[in-house]
Each structure stands twice: as structure tokens, then as C-alpha cells.
Amino acid sequence: MRSGPTWFNVTSLVLGFTFLYLPIVILVIFSFNESRLVTVWGGFSTKWYVELFKNKQLLDAAWVTLKVAFLSASIATVLGTMAALVLVRSGRFVGRSLFSGMIFAPLVMPEVILGLSLLLLFVAMDQARGFWTVMIAHTTFAMCYVAVVVQSRLVGFDKSIEEAAEDLGCPPVRSFFLITLPIIFPGVLAGWMLAFTLSLDDLVIASFTTGPGATTLPMKIYSQVRLGVTPEINAICTILVVLVTFGVIAASLASKRQELQRAHDERAAFGAN
Amino acid sequence: MAKKTLGPVRREFTPWEDTAAEPFIEFRNVTKRFGDFVAVDNLSLKIYEREFFALLGGSGCGKTTMMRMLAGFETPTSGQIFLDGQDLAGIPAFRRPSNMMFQSYALFPHMSVENNIAFGLKQDKLPKSEIDDRVAEMLRLTKLEQFAKRKPHQLSGGQRQRVALARSLAKRPKVLLLDEPLGALDRKLREETQFELMALQEDLKMTFLIVTHDQEEAMTVADRIAVMDQGQLVQVATPAEIYETPNSKFVANFIGDVNLIETKVVEASPSQTRLEAMMGGFLIETDQTTSARPGDTVWYAIRPEKVRVAKGKAEPGSVNAVNGPVWDIAYLGDVSIIHAKIGEGDFDTLKSTFANVTRVVEDPITWYDDVVLTFDRNAGVILDR
């Protein structure tokens, strides 16, 4: 077979990268724009980054967002892992399909409807809206993503490993923490990261469920953009892009390293025979 | 004159023949259903202390369910299970005094070999020095000292198997349960390990219960074998008894190779039985008695190695002899198998195996040679089911 680039491959690659990354590249470039006008290049400058760190409102919003994302991701991870365990392990029980449907509904439900229904719930409960309501709302929809990720990890899990722990005198709850959790931990961690990211960039649900004093970064950016894009927004977005990029690269490097280590260990094992 | 026994091995250890002996493990009328499927059907079984006992059967015969009920992973639908006089009902798996070696080994992938072995001891909250001693002893017993710090994925299949064994032995359980323990090993290693297991069981003076579908494995390691089919015990006996006196066509077929000859009873006297084979129409005479009446159909099971083969023709009217042309020959190195066609039908053949005791054979048997197959009066058994 002929390898190497064909005109079709090259075209798809260029088109793909253009659609995916051109907007981001433009955003990054204009974050270093000297000019106040977003669309006119006025020379290189980092002054908007300096401005950004003086903008208390934006920084507050970023801090709220991080807190919401961290808390909701953590709670969603616990709940989602429990839901996944029930779905994979408990076999058949009355209401299983209903439960599994309910767990996965938020994956396909329009965010607007989810946000609205949560808002109605909070109103009905006469709950003052703010930080905690956003956090709870994010937990609700992030939980199902965690459940999906952890479930896929659990399906490939050899149940006899847990049975072995029990057989050796370990009660079920302890064997979960000593055996099961360490083994499915990569899945749980991936679920947490997914939940964190989803919470970080959610605009719709946060808008529905937030109240005074709990403006998240996406909401802040969105409301500012409506008044006109300032280069400050470009700067903070660039920082987010850089953070996410580093996260992704670090995660893929770590998993690559683990794979190499494993391959190396296996070679060592078979060499030792 | 020395006492006659079945097979070439005389056993010293036969607690099952002692009617006063207390069973160590007892299944009493145990039934296990999964929905409509009956995995174990009203089964009773006694296993004695220090026995190496094998549950043998094809897949889905209920043997693994038996073991899992003993370990506490399944609850019997009805019936009782006793271990060392204690009714196991209601006792969860983690409090039962048995340990199991899993078919998949089920090693803890995130723990080193020594931590795998120490896991059960830590659950018992033993002092650290004692745990260390016990782990060191297990590592030595299973020749794993140099692998103590490795993780399971850094080990070969045979080494993993030994870790699993060491881990299940570390707590010195009252009974060790082995679920197809050698299934994943290659043939040579499996044979070695079978003998290691037997030596280990002898040294540790423990009761071993092994579940296997491999009849050779069961015959090698076990004091007694229970052959299972469709949730029931078909025969429980020593390997020699199972091989030499199978109680049914199922057992005869399942264990080893056999010629099953459909016959009609000609004479059934208290001193001997005469049968006429449906294929080939030859006469079989045996000292065995049968409850079948003349004219009934019974089966005569004879192992191929007990059928002698020679060139020539049977004398007319001779008994326990039949002749026909050689239909097939298989040379396996250590033994050869000859199929002689003794009837009209395509499958009316009789098998004979013989050891190739010499390297060079003068005038060997070849295809389409006329051969005569003979056997002793008591070489086979009459089966009526």
C-alpha cells in the first residue's frame, strides 16, 4: 500500500485544523494586541494581562467558578461512582431500567430544560439562589458523566478480585476501599476531571440557577461580550486555553509513560522465565 | 498371595471406608437454582479431613457452584453445608475458614507479590512479625522469594499461579478450594504443578477440594473423585474405581477412552453372564453378574488397552474374541491405537491401544490387515444405564 500524504489526506487535515484551531489562534494573537479595538492590530503588548489581574470582578468570577467546579466535581464523583457500582454490580432489581434511564437522561436532555427544571425546583423549595444552588445543579448533571466513565471501567473489572479479598477475610466495604477503588481509580479520576471541565465551562445551567454574588466566569465573559469584547476577555481565555492544553498534555504523557513502564515490566517478566 | 486391588496403586489413606469417621465437609441435600436452571440438584456429599477431593465434570455441571456455595459466594436454595461440624448457613464469605484459589488467579494488581500474600493475614490483624514470617514461609514454599517485590503484571503465568496459591495458603485455611487452578498453564508446567500440589497437600496435612474439567488432572491429584453431570453426582470413588468400574455409560465415556458395546443378554446366572454383541455378533463371557434378564439390552464397556490385537482370525465359536480388518491406525509415539471394523455399520469399530515397547517391529500391522481382537473374561464391565 502506498503510504505518505495524498491530496485528500492533506486537504482533510488542513480543513480540520483550520476549523478547530483558527478561532483559538486568532483569540490568542489578539490577547497580545496593544489596541483597545479587538479587531484592529495595534502592535504587541501584554498590558491586557496586567489589566486582567487588576480586574477584581473577573478574578472573583474565576474564583467562584473554580470553587463550584471543584466541589461539584468531587460530589458528582462520589455519587456517580456509587450509581455506576449499583448499575454494574447489583444485577437486576425493581426499577433498574428506570434508574439507569434517569442517570443517563441529563446526557441527552437539552441544557435549557435541565436548567429550567432545576430553577423551578429551587423556587419551589424556596431556596435562595446563589453559590450552593449552582454547585448542586452542576453536581446533578456532572454526576451522569462520571457514572458513564466509571461504569465502563467497572464492566471490565474482574469481580473475582473482590471475591478473593472477601474470601481472605475482608468485609465488603473494606474490600471496596482496599481493592476495588484503587483498581478503578483511573476511571474515577477521569470522571472527576470530566465533571470539573464541564462545570468550568457551563453557561446555561449556571445562568438559570445562580443568584446574586455567585457569577461564574463563563457568565461574566458572556455578559461582558454583549457589551463589547475587550482584550481582557481574550487574555483570560488565552490563560484558560493554556491551562487546558497543559492539562491534556500532562494527562496523555502520564498515561503514555505508564504504558511504556508496563510494557517494560512485562518484557522483564518474560525474560526472567 | 497379595491382596488384589483395582489398578496398580494401593492406598493407605481411606477414611471414606471407615463408617465411624466424621465427615469434615458435608453437603446435605443441597439444591441451588438460578431462576429456572437447576445448577445443583438435591446433592449430598461427604468429604473427609486431609482428603484431596476432586469435583469433575463438564461445563455447567454444577461443580463450580458447589465450590462457590462452600466458599460463601452463593447461598444454597435449600439444604445444608457443614464444615468441621459447623453449619455454614448465614456465615458470610469473609468469616468462613476456607480459602479459595481462583481460576483467573484474581491477584490484586496494585499490590506486590508479598502484599498479595500478606493481605489475608492483615485482615486477621496478626502482629507484623508473624505476618512477615508467614509471608517469607509462603514465598519459600512456592519458590517466589526473588519475586517478592514485583507486581502481578511483571510475572509470567506460572509465577502468578504460584502467587495465587501462596496467597490462598497463607492463612492456613481448614480447606483449600482450587477452582480450575491449572487451566491457564501449558501442559508441561501443568503436570509439574500437579505433583507440586500433591506434595504440598501431603506436607501441610490440609484438606484440598479441587474443581476441574480435566480428568487427567483429577486422576493425578485426587484421593477421590466425584463425577458430576447436570447438578448431580454420578459416581464418587477413587480414581482407579472410577476408571475400572464406572457405574454408567456417562462415567465410562467421560473418564478415559472406552469401547461401549451394545449387547443382548444371553445368559444371566449367579456365576457368570453371557452377552451377544449387537455389532459383529460375537459372544462375551464374564464372571460379573447383572440384574438384567436374558433378552435385555445392556452395554459392555471395555477400555482399549485391555483389548489385545494380533494378526489372524478368531476361531469359529470362540468367546471374548472378534475379528475384522484394520480400519484406522494412530501412532502416538508412546502408544498406538488400532480401530478394527467388526460390524457392517460405519462406526462399528473396536479400539485397541498398546504400548510401543520396542523401537523396531517386525511385520507390523497395517491398514486392511485381518486382525483378531481378544480380551480377558473380566476386562470389561456391564453397564445398564
Side-chain angles (χ1 to χ4, degrees):
Chain A
M1 208 183 95
R2 198 166 66 100
S3 62
T6 63
W7 67 267
F8 180 77
N9 287 353
V10 173
T11 318
S12 345
L13 199 67
V14 169
L15 279 176
F17 271 105
T18 311
F19 273 100
L20 279 176
Y21 293 113
L22 190 63
I24 295 175
V25 170
I26 289 176
L27 178 135
V28 172
I29 291 172
F30 274 91
S31 75
F32 294 104
N33 193 356
E34 168 77 48
S35 162
R36 170 140 208 111
L37 295 166
V38 185
T39 46
V40 181
W41 183 251
F44 181 84
S45 155
T46 53
K47 78 172 190 195
W48 298 111
Y49 287 87
V50 180
E51 285 291 309
L52 173 67
F53 284 100
K54 286 188 201 147
N55 186 336
K56 182 133 186 338
Q57 275 190 325
L58 265 185
L59 287 182
D60 278 351
W63 179 234
V64 166
T65 308
L66 284 177
K67 275 197 294 187
V68 166
F70 184 83
L71 278 176
S72 67
S74 304
I75 299 173
T77 302
V78 174
L79 295 177
T81 304
M82 279 159 65
L85 275 170
V86 167
L87 284 176
V88 176
R89 288 298 167 73
S90 297
R92 286 193 202 163
F93 55 89
V94 180
R96 188 189 184 280
S97 17
L98 182 70
F99 181 64
S100 119
M102 300 286 268
I103 287 283
F104 299 124
L107 285 176
V108 288
M109 190 124 64
E111 280 186 316
V112 181
I113 292 176
L114 198 62
L116 185 61
S117 61
L118 282 162
L119 172 65
L120 291 176
L121 175 75
F122 292 137
V123 170
M125 288 168 68
D126 201 15
Q127 190 71 41
R129 285 174 303 290
F131 179 82
W132 293 105
T133 49
V134 177
M135 205 275 296
I136 291 169
H138 279 185
T139 306
T140 308
F141 89 95
M143 184 190 122
C144 64
Y145 289 88
V146 177
V148 172
V149 173
V150 175
Q151 197 184 17
S152 72
R153 182 89 191 177
L154 274 174
V155 165
F157 184 93
D158 180 6
K159 195 165 184 325
S160 60
I161 295 180
E162 265 175 24
E163 288 181 342
E166 266 186 66
D167 185 62
L168 291 166
C170 192
V173 175
R174 203 192 313 162
S175 81
F176 173 78
F177 285 104
L178 286 180
I179 304 297
T180 315
L181 194 57
I183 297 173
I184 62 168
F185 189 72
V188 175
L189 187 67
W192 187 89
M193 275 157 63
L194 188 61
F196 186 81
T197 321
L198 286 168
S199 168
L200 209 61
D201 74 8
D202 168 70
L203 171 65
V204 178
I205 292 170
S207 314
F208 272 104
T209 53
T210 193
T215 308
T216 63
L217 194 59
M219 287 168 64
K220 188 80 200 159
I221 294 172
Y222 184 67
S223 63
Q224 287 209 353
V225 166
R226 279 193 302 184
L227 305 173
V229 182
T230 67
E232 267 175 323
I233 300 288
N234 287 345
I236 197 161
C237 290
T238 303
I239 290 175
L240 280 178
V241 167
V242 169
L243 280 179
V244 169
T245 309
F246 268 110
V248 169
I249 290 175
S252 67
L253 276 185
S255 78
K256 183 89 190 162
R257 218 181 90 107
Q258 208 174 5
E259 231 163 73
L260 286 176
Q261 179 68 35
R262 199 185 169 91
H264 173 83
D265 289 343
E266 258 158 30
R267 267 200 308 281
F270 287 108
N273 273 346
Chain B
M1 206 180 89
K3 189 179 171 251
K4 278 190 177 175
T5 63
L6 285 173
V9 184
R10 189 165 60 90
R11 285 176 185 272
E12 306 271 332
F13 176 74
T14 55
W16 51 89
E17 285 173 1
D18 177 4
T19 46
E22 281 290 311
F24 193 60
I25 302 168
E26 186 179 357
F27 290 81
R28 211 177 278 169
N29 303 107
V30 173
T31 296
K32 175 69 186 176
R33 283 193 204 91
F34 296 101
D36 290 338
F37 177 69
V38 183
V40 174
D41 189 3
N42 191 24
L43 183 155
S44 296
L45 176 64
K46 289 176 182 171
I47 299 170
Y48 295 89
E49 192 164 10
R50 292 182 53 191
E51 224 188 315
F52 202 141
F53 194 91
L55 286 170
L56 177 64
S59 60
C61 72
K63 57 189 194 301
T64 304
T65 309
M66 292 273 286
M67 177 171 277
R68 290 176 61 82
M69 286 193 289
L70 186 55
F73 300 130
E74 308 284 356
T75 317
T77 312
S78 65
Q80 288 167 294
I81 304 172
F82 294 89
L83 174 54
D84 200 8
Q86 187 188 16
D87 187 347
L88 291 179
I91 301 177
F94 61 90
R95 290 222 184 84
R96 294 200 180 185
S98 57
N99 284 139
M100 183 157 165
M101 187 185 149
F102 288 80
Q103 185 174 13
S104 63
Y105 307 149
L107 300 179
F108 307 132
H110 56 301
M111 292 185 193
S112 66
V113 167
E114 52 182 5
N115 282 335
N116 261 284
I117 298 173
F119 185 85
L121 303 168
K122 286 180 184 162
Q123 303 311 311
D124 284 356
K125 309 244 170 14
L126 292 180
K128 188 166 184 317
S129 60
E130 200 181 331
I131 294 180
D132 291 346
D133 288 351
R134 203 81 81 79
V135 170
E137 183 197 338
M138 285 302 140
L139 288 170
R140 189 167 39 75
L141 209 58
T142 49
K143 303 183 194 76
L144 285 166
E145 289 108 323
Q146 47 178 323
F147 305 110
K149 304 282 179 210
R150 291 217 191 161
K151 293 272 182 69
H153 65 90
Q154 295 167 303
L155 300 175
S156 69
Q159 290 159 353
R160 284 180 208 183
Q161 185 268 338
R162 299 215 298 277
V163 178
L165 184 62
R167 189 180 66 179
S168 54
L169 283 172
K171 290 182 79 171
R172 300 201 185 123
K174 283 186 176 170
V175 52
L176 178 70
L177 309 175
L178 302 140
D179 183 10
E180 305 264 2
L182 313 177
L185 304 182
D186 62 65
R187 193 187 164 87
K188 265 233 159 68
L189 195 54
R190 195 160 64 218
E191 277 171 13
E192 277 175 39
T193 318
Q194 283 165 5
F195 283 98
E196 281 175 20
L197 271 182
M198 288 159 72
L200 212 57
Q201 194 252 355
E202 199 104 316
D203 283 356
L204 299 171
K205 302 186 175 17
M206 272 166 49
T207 311
F208 278 27
L209 174 61
I210 186 173
V211 156
T212 179
H213 69 274
D214 179 347
Q215 46 120 343
E216 239 174 73
E217 187 167 297
M219 305 266 293
T220 308
V221 298
D223 294 315
R224 277 195 307 158
I225 297 173
V227 181
M228 287 188 70
D229 185 35
Q230 295 178 2
Q232 290 181 320
L233 296 174
V234 188
Q235 189 170 12
V236 183
T238 62
E241 284 164 356
I242 291 230
Y243 188 79
E244 303 294 355
T245 54
N247 66 0
S248 60
K249 282 197 292 176
F250 177 82
V251 175
N253 246 325
F254 193 78
I255 309 279
D257 212 350
V258 72
N259 291 300
L260 275 175
I261 307 164
E262 195 178 357
T263 64
K264 206 169 234 106
V265 179
V266 178
E267 179 200 334
S269 75
S271 60
Q272 72 162 7
T273 307
R274 277 152 61 85
L275 309 164
E276 189 191 347
M278 301 275 191
M279 63 173 178
F282 62 101
L283 274 179
I284 298 166
E285 253 182 41
T286 167
D287 293 341
Q288 262 189 73
T289 54
T290 175
S291 57
R293 320 197 134 271
D296 286 356
T297 299
V298 295
W299 299 80
Y300 190 69
I302 183 163
R303 302 288 181 187
E305 76 278 3
K306 295 185 174 66
V307 178
R308 284 183 297 266
V309 62
K311 285 191 180 182
K313 273 194 185 293
E315 304 271 326
S318 56
V319 293
N320 296 345
V322 61
N323 56 262
V326 172
W327 207 243
D328 247 325
I329 304 176
Y331 170 75
L332 304 183
D334 52 349
V335 295
S336 293
I337 308 171
I338 283 184
H339 293 242
K341 191 160 163 50
I342 58 167
E344 300 301 315
D346 282 349
F347 299 104
D348 290 351
T349 58
L350 207 59
K351 256 178 292 187
S352 164
T353 54
F354 50 89
N356 296 319
V357 288
T358 55
R359 284 173 54 223
V360 185
V361 177
E362 265 181 58
D363 191 19
I365 293 170
T366 186
W367 279 264
Y368 305 115
D369 276 357
D370 267 320
V371 288
V372 54
L373 302 157
T374 55
F375 45 91
D376 293 343
R377 275 179 80 84
N378 294 314
V381 285
I382 302 169
L383 301 174
D384 47 17
R385 63 175 173 127

